[in-house]
Amino acid sequence: MTTFQSAHRTFKNYFVLPIAFLLFGISCSTDATTLLDEDDSISEDVEETNDDTPSDEEVDTSGAVVFDQDFTLDATRTVANYVLSQADYAQFLAGDGDITMVAEKAYEYLDDDFDYIIILSVEETQPSGLFYGRSHLIQNQVQGLGTGVYNNAASYGSAGKLKSIIYMPRTEYISNGPFLHEIAHSWGNKGIIPSTVGGHWGFASTAGQLGGFDQIEDLGNNTYRGSLNGQNGFGTFANGGNSVVYGALELYTMGLIGPDELGSIQVAVNPEWTQNAGEFTADAITTYTAQDLINEHGVRVPSVSDSQKDFKALTVVISTAEISQEQIDTISANLENFSRQGAPDGSWGSLKNFWLATQGKATFDFTVAQESIQ
Ligand SMILES: [Zn+2]
């Protein structure tokens, strides 16, 4: 790696730290406002659950499946609905939902065929004080990312396939984000580059879902300005929901491009925001080539030729009463848009799906196959 030190650091003022926190807060809310605030006019009408016996599901290989009074799968076989008690549901909104309970419920009726379980609650607005999404990593089998291999799948009722459980409080976050962001957390940032923003890229030329700029300008006096897509400013942990595609380092950690396609990554040392958009001070800018990353963490195993490219997910919508057909239709359409091998339809505007975000290199499949049903 190469480290360039600018001359003398003259910008070390006592107010830099509080301003950094202030800007971090602004950055958070900027991310928040880029999430579209759609009015889905969610119906309050709910149908009573049928008391169908589980044996009925064996006959029909299409159509909705009633596994249990409180656990169903819709006719498109993409949207499971788990009706929770008020207390269990509220715990999710408090940021402490029982994801193990949801996973174990799913594995009572479904085989261990899913890389991801996506849990969505049905909030019409973002709950105050709650995160927009959270990835609970269950295992890592990939070497070369800056972290070890481990597998806690058994604790969630999975025989070994489950990689991550993602929770997002609103179903709209499938299309608006942070869905692409939460998926990227399966691989980054586990320490492959240093960062002052835990789990994310921070002040680096990563230009992706987990933050970073694509251009950096040296303004002198240890001051720099990062920009993204031609505009001053960037996020250190996100860059505006599903409006941006995965950056090169994200594609590399995901196993979708090789080291030969990964350019050098610039990382700021001890960065701190100034009060100007995209502007920060740093002791130095360190450049890591792909070879530097390999020297430090080893090659990615499996390599781009052997890596998993096709991912299966089970989507479980949690609610306190059975969700309406209108809600199911909207969620199912968004899952179809997210997973289609092509651009999403016009309802997504300029938002990116998995195919666009990965340059068509990987797929996500939300359909529960008949063979997966026990
Ligand atoms: Zn994150």
Side-chain angles (χ1 to χ4, degrees), residues 181-182 185 200 210 237:
H181 174 103
E182 300 307 333
H185 273 310
H200 300 81
L210 301 182
F237 59 92

Side-chain angles (χ1 to χ4, degrees), residues 210-331:
L210 301 182
F213 48 79
D214 59 12
Q215 294 283 334
I216 183 172
E217 195 181 341
D218 187 344
L219 303 175
N221 293 322
N222 289 87
T223 305
Y224 304 87
R225 180 163 54 222
S227 57
L228 183 70
N229 298 326
Q231 300 212 318
N232 288 344
F234 62 97
T236 54
F237 59 92
N239 272 315
N242 285 1
S243 68
V244 297
V245 299
Y246 292 125
L249 187 57
E250 287 161 356
L251 294 173
Y252 173 75
T253 58
M254 293 168 87
L256 300 180
I257 62 172
D260 53 319
E261 296 174 82
L262 175 64
S264 295
I265 304 288
Q266 295 170 294
V267 180
V269 180
N270 294 326
E272 287 176 9
W273 289 116
T274 73
Q275 57 270 56
N276 300 321
E279 211 179 280
F280 58 92
T281 60
D283 293 344
I285 303 293
T286 300
T287 299
Y288 296 85
T289 64
Q291 192 58 50
D292 290 331
L293 300 180
I294 289 170
N295 291 346
E296 193 173 342
H297 307 292
V299 294
R300 191 193 194 278
V301 181
S303 73
V304 62
S305 51
D306 302 324
S307 64
Q308 182 176 3
K309 313 281 192 316
D310 303 307
F311 301 93
K312 279 193 77 70
L314 171 69
T315 304
V316 181
V317 177
I318 55 170
S319 55
T320 55
E322 194 179 344
I323 58 172
S324 69
Q325 188 59 48
E326 188 186 353
Q327 284 175 292
I328 290 172
D329 292 344
T330 303
I331 297 162

Side-chain angles (χ1 to χ4, degrees), residues 41 66 69 128 197 199 206 222 254 316 343 369:
S41 58
V66 179
Q69 201 161 349
S128 68
V197 182
T206 43
N222 289 87
M254 293 168 87
V316 181

